Amino acid sequence: DTAVSQTPKYLVTQMGNDKSIKCEQNLGHDTMYWYKQDSKKFLKIMFSYNNKELIINETVPNRFSPKSPDKAHLNLHINSLELGDSAVYFCASSQVRASGIYAYEQYFGPGTRLTVT
Amino acid sequence: AQSVTQLDSQVPVFEEAPVELRCNYSSSVSVYLFWYVQYPNQGLQLLLKYLSGSTLVKGINGFEAEFNKSQTSFHLRKPSVHISDTAEYFCAVNQGGKLIFGQGTELSVKP
């Protein structure tokens, strides 16, 4: 069974288009994340949701809008795609203790490679 | 804010040789440290983690890491590497729920 899944795995699109990436986790976790990995393999967090509530929102252009319909799903919608958006986008999930101590590891999906031409 | 520095961007090593991948973090009252591995065209897989307690942490695939508070380091080691260990390795610290990653170290194991 896949723990964290993402669709699509590859996404090739033109500048100016709008696209979405979907993420689902079957681990029963309450927190989900989006990370961006650039061409130099540097990983940086974009967003985090806990029980459908946005809790982390890094400095990301407002063309990026995450949506969490329930705690098992976190989608990423990108408007007006730009060349610089080309990257690998990873979804992750973790279980945060009630005390809010973020000690637990995050489980990552396989990634979505977005290429903007 | 926390930061993580991986001191080597590339580490070439021969099969069956020992390896150490170095990681330093910025100091904090308490830290939660992780090593992840990324095989080509795949997601990140957790190798090991340090939350508290014993400073020597054992992980999967024969890897281990030692937490050194005075040196603010969390170096990853394996006594004998295999070709299949060729991958990108990331050190990370958990800061308020988000993982802060180092730049990554590319481990290349040669026959």
Coordinates of all heavy atoms in Angstrom, one line a residue, chain B residues 64-107:
Chain B
E64 N 24.3 4.8 10.6 CA 24.2 5.3 12.0 C 24.6 6.7 12.0 O 25.3 7.2 11.1 CB 24.9 4.4 13.0 CG 26.4 4.5 12.7 CD 27.2 3.6 13.8 OE1 26.6 2.6 14.2 OE2 28.3 3.9 14.1
A65 N 24.2 7.5 13.0 CA 24.6 8.9 13.1 C 24.9 9.2 14.6 O 24.3 8.6 15.5 CB 23.6 9.8 12.5
E66 N 25.7 10.1 14.8 CA 26.0 10.5 16.2 C 25.7 12.0 16.4 O 26.2 12.9 15.6 CB 27.5 10.3 16.5 CG 27.8 10.6 17.9 CD 29.0 9.8 18.5 OE1 29.8 9.3 17.6 OE2 29.2 9.7 19.7
F67 N 24.9 12.2 17.4 CA 24.5 13.6 17.7 C 25.6 14.1 18.7 O 25.9 13.5 19.7 CB 23.1 13.6 18.4 CG 22.8 14.9 19.0 CD1 22.5 16.0 18.2 CD2 22.6 15.1 20.4 CE1 22.2 17.2 18.8 CE2 22.3 16.3 21.0 CZ 22.0 17.4 20.2
N68 N 26.2 15.3 18.3 CA 27.2 15.9 19.2 C 26.8 17.3 19.4 O 26.9 18.2 18.6 CB 28.5 15.8 18.4 CG 29.7 16.3 19.3 OD1 29.5 17.2 20.1 ND2 30.8 15.6 19.2
K69 N 26.3 17.5 20.6 CA 25.7 18.8 21.0 C 26.8 19.9 21.0 O 26.6 21.0 20.6 CB 25.0 18.8 22.3 CG 24.2 20.0 22.7 CD 23.4 19.8 23.9 CE 22.6 21.1 24.3 NZ 21.8 20.9 25.5
S70 N 28.0 19.6 21.5 CA 29.0 20.6 21.7 C 29.6 21.0 20.3 O 30.0 22.2 20.1 CB 30.2 20.1 22.6 OG 30.7 18.9 21.9
Q71 N 29.6 20.1 19.4 CA 30.0 20.4 18.0 C 28.9 20.8 17.1 O 29.1 21.1 15.9 CB 30.7 19.2 17.4 CG 31.8 18.6 18.3 CD 33.2 19.1 17.9 OE1 33.3 19.8 16.8 NE2 34.2 18.8 18.6
T72 N 27.7 20.7 17.6 CA 26.4 21.0 16.8 C 26.5 20.2 15.5 O 26.3 20.7 14.4 CB 26.2 22.5 16.5 OG1 27.2 23.0 15.8 CG2 26.0 23.2 17.8
S73 N 26.8 18.9 15.6 CA 27.0 18.1 14.4 C 26.1 16.8 14.5 O 25.7 16.4 15.6 CB 28.4 17.6 14.2 OG 28.8 16.8 15.3
F74 N 25.8 16.3 13.4 CA 25.0 15.0 13.3 C 25.5 14.3 12.1 O 24.8 14.2 11.1 CB 23.5 15.4 13.2 CG 22.5 14.2 13.4 CD1 22.6 13.4 14.5 CD2 21.6 14.0 12.4 CE1 21.7 12.3 14.6 CE2 20.7 12.9 12.5 CZ 20.8 12.1 13.6
H75 N 26.7 13.7 12.2 CA 27.3 13.1 11.0 C 26.7 11.7 10.8 O 26.5 10.9 11.7 CB 28.8 13.0 11.2 CG 29.5 14.4 11.3 ND1 28.9 15.5 10.8 CD2 30.6 14.7 12.0 CE1 29.7 16.5 11.1 NE2 30.8 16.1 11.8
L76 N 26.6 11.3 9.5 CA 26.1 10.0 9.1 C 27.2 9.1 8.8 O 28.1 9.5 8.0 CB 25.1 10.2 8.0 CG 24.4 8.9 7.4 CD1 23.4 8.4 8.4 CD2 23.8 9.2 6.1
R77 N 27.2 7.9 9.2 CA 28.3 6.9 8.9 C 27.8 5.6 8.5 O 26.7 5.2 8.9 CB 29.2 6.8 10.1 CG 29.8 8.0 10.7 CD 30.8 7.7 11.8 NE 31.3 8.9 12.4 CZ 30.8 9.5 13.5 NH1 29.9 8.9 14.2 NH2 31.4 10.6 14.0
K78 N 28.6 4.9 7.7 CA 28.3 3.5 7.4 C 29.7 2.8 7.2 O 30.6 3.3 6.5 CB 27.5 3.4 6.1 CG 27.1 1.9 5.8 CD 26.1 1.8 4.7 CE 25.7 0.4 4.5 NZ 24.7 0.2 3.4
P79 N 29.9 1.7 7.9 CA 31.2 1.1 7.9 C 31.6 0.4 6.6 O 32.8 0.3 6.3 CB 31.1 0.0 9.0 CG 29.6 -0.2 9.2 CD 28.9 1.0 8.8
S80 N 30.6 0.1 5.8 CA 31.0 -0.6 4.5 C 29.8 -0.3 3.5 O 28.7 -0.8 3.7 CB 31.1 -2.1 4.7 OG 31.4 -2.7 3.5
V81 N 30.1 0.5 2.5 CA 29.0 0.9 1.6 C 28.9 -0.1 0.4 O 29.8 -0.8 0.0 CB 29.2 2.3 1.0 CG1 29.1 3.3 2.2 CG2 30.6 2.4 0.3
H82 N 27.7 -0.1 -0.2 CA 27.4 -0.9 -1.4 C 27.1 0.0 -2.5 O 26.7 1.2 -2.3 CB 26.2 -1.8 -1.1 CG 26.4 -2.7 0.1 ND1 27.3 -3.8 0.1 CD2 25.9 -2.7 1.3 CE1 27.3 -4.3 1.3 NE2 26.4 -3.7 2.1
I83 N 27.2 -0.6 -3.7 CA 26.8 0.2 -4.9 C 25.4 0.8 -4.8 O 25.1 1.9 -5.2 CB 26.8 -0.7 -6.2 CG1 28.3 -1.3 -6.4 CG2 26.3 0.0 -7.4 CD1 29.2 -0.3 -7.0
S84 N 24.5 0.0 -4.1 CA 23.1 0.4 -4.0 C 22.9 1.6 -3.1 O 21.8 2.2 -3.0 CB 22.3 -0.7 -3.5 OG 22.7 -1.2 -2.2
D85 N 24.0 2.0 -2.4 CA 23.9 3.2 -1.5 C 24.1 4.5 -2.3 O 23.9 5.6 -1.7 CB 24.9 3.1 -0.4 CG 24.7 2.0 0.6 OD1 23.5 1.8 0.9 OD2 25.6 1.4 1.1
T86 N 24.4 4.4 -3.5 CA 24.5 5.6 -4.4 C 23.2 6.4 -4.4 O 22.2 5.8 -4.8 CB 24.9 5.2 -5.8 OG1 26.2 4.6 -5.8 CG2 24.9 6.4 -6.7
A87 N 23.2 7.6 -3.9 CA 22.0 8.4 -3.8 C 22.4 9.8 -3.3 O 23.6 10.1 -3.0 CB 21.0 7.7 -2.8
E88 N 21.4 10.6 -3.1 CA 21.5 11.9 -2.5 C 21.1 11.8 -1.0 O 20.0 11.2 -0.8 CB 20.7 13.0 -3.2 CG 20.9 14.4 -2.9 CD 22.1 15.0 -3.7 OE1 22.5 14.4 -4.7 OE2 22.6 16.0 -3.2
Y89 N 21.9 12.4 -0.1 CA 21.5 12.3 1.3 C 21.3 13.7 1.9 O 22.1 14.6 1.6 CB 22.7 11.6 2.0 CG 22.8 10.1 1.7 CD1 23.4 9.7 0.5 CD2 22.2 9.1 2.5 CE1 23.4 8.3 0.2 CE2 22.3 7.8 2.2 CZ 22.9 7.4 1.0 OH 22.9 6.1 0.7
F90 N 20.2 13.8 2.6 CA 19.8 15.1 3.2 C 19.8 15.0 4.7 O 19.1 14.1 5.2 CB 18.5 15.5 2.6 CG 18.5 15.8 1.2 CD1 18.1 14.9 0.2 CD2 18.8 17.1 0.7 CE1 18.0 15.2 -1.1 CE2 18.8 17.4 -0.6 CZ 18.4 16.4 -1.6
C91 N 20.4 16.0 5.3 CA 20.3 16.2 6.7 C 19.2 17.3 7.0 O 19.1 18.2 6.1 CB 21.6 16.7 7.3 SG 21.7 16.9 9.1
A92 N 18.4 17.1 8.0 CA 17.4 18.1 8.2 C 17.1 18.3 9.7 O 17.3 17.4 10.5 CB 16.1 17.6 7.5
V93 N 16.6 19.4 10.1 CA 16.2 19.8 11.4 C 14.8 20.2 11.4 O 14.3 20.9 10.4 CB 17.1 20.8 12.0 CG1 17.0 22.2 11.3 CG2 16.8 21.1 13.5
N94 N 14.0 19.8 12.4 CA 12.6 20.2 12.5 C 12.5 21.4 13.3 O 12.8 21.5 14.4 CB 11.8 19.0 13.1 CG 10.3 19.2 12.9 OD1 9.8 20.3 13.0 ND2 9.6 18.2 12.6
Q95 N 12.0 22.5 12.6 CA 11.8 23.8 13.3 C 10.4 24.1 13.2 O 9.8 24.5 12.1 CB 12.7 24.8 12.6 CG 12.5 26.3 13.1 CD 13.1 27.3 12.3 OE1 14.4 27.4 12.3 NE2 12.4 28.0 11.5
G96 N 9.7 24.0 14.3 CA 8.3 24.4 14.4 C 7.4 23.7 13.4 O 6.4 24.3 12.9
G97 N 7.7 22.4 13.1 CA 6.9 21.7 12.2 C 7.4 21.6 10.8 O 6.9 20.8 10.0
K98 N 8.3 22.5 10.4 CA 8.8 22.4 9.1 C 10.2 21.9 9.1 O 11.0 22.2 10.0 CB 8.8 23.8 8.4 CG 9.5 24.9 9.1 CD 9.3 26.2 8.4 CE 9.9 27.3 9.2 NZ 9.7 28.6 8.5
L99 N 10.5 21.0 8.1 CA 11.9 20.5 8.0 C 12.8 21.5 7.2 O 12.4 22.0 6.2 CB 11.9 19.2 7.2 CG 11.3 18.0 8.0 CD1 11.3 16.7 7.1 CD2 12.1 17.7 9.2
I100 N 13.9 21.9 7.9 CA 14.9 22.7 7.3 C 16.0 21.8 6.8 O 16.6 21.1 7.6 CB 15.5 23.7 8.2 CG1 14.4 24.5 8.9 CG2 16.5 24.7 7.5 CD1 13.5 25.3 8.0
F101 N 16.2 21.7 5.5 CA 17.1 20.8 4.9 C 18.5 21.4 4.6 O 18.6 22.6 4.3 CB 16.6 20.3 3.6 CG 15.5 19.3 3.7 CD1 14.2 19.7 3.7 CD2 15.8 17.9 3.8 CE1 13.1 18.8 3.8 CE2 14.7 17.0 3.9 CZ 13.4 17.4 3.9
G102 N 19.5 20.6 4.7 CA 20.8 20.9 4.2 C 20.8 20.9 2.7 O 19.8 20.5 2.0
Q103 N 22.0 21.2 2.1 CA 22.0 21.3 0.6 C 22.1 19.9 -0.1 O 22.0 19.8 -1.3 CB 23.3 22.1 0.2 CG 23.3 23.5 0.8 CD 24.0 23.5 2.2 OE1 23.9 22.6 3.0 NE2 24.6 24.7 2.5
G104 N 22.3 18.9 0.7 CA 22.4 17.5 0.2 C 23.8 17.1 -0.1 O 24.7 18.0 -0.4
T105 N 24.1 15.8 0.0 CA 25.4 15.3 -0.3 C 25.2 14.1 -1.3 O 24.4 13.2 -0.9 CB 26.2 14.7 0.9 OG1 26.4 15.8 1.8 CG2 27.5 14.1 0.5
E106 N 25.8 14.2 -2.4 CA 25.7 13.1 -3.4 C 26.7 12.0 -3.1 O 27.9 12.3 -3.2 CB 25.9 13.6 -4.8 CG 25.7 12.6 -5.9 CD 26.0 13.1 -7.3 OE1 26.1 14.4 -7.4 OE2 26.0 12.3 -8.2
L107 N 26.3 10.9 -2.7 CA 27.2 9.7 -2.4 C 27.3 8.9 -3.7 O 26.2 8.4 -4.1 CB 26.7 8.9 -1.2 CG 27.5 7.6 -0.9 CD1 28.9 8.0 -0.5 CD2 26.8 6.8 0.2

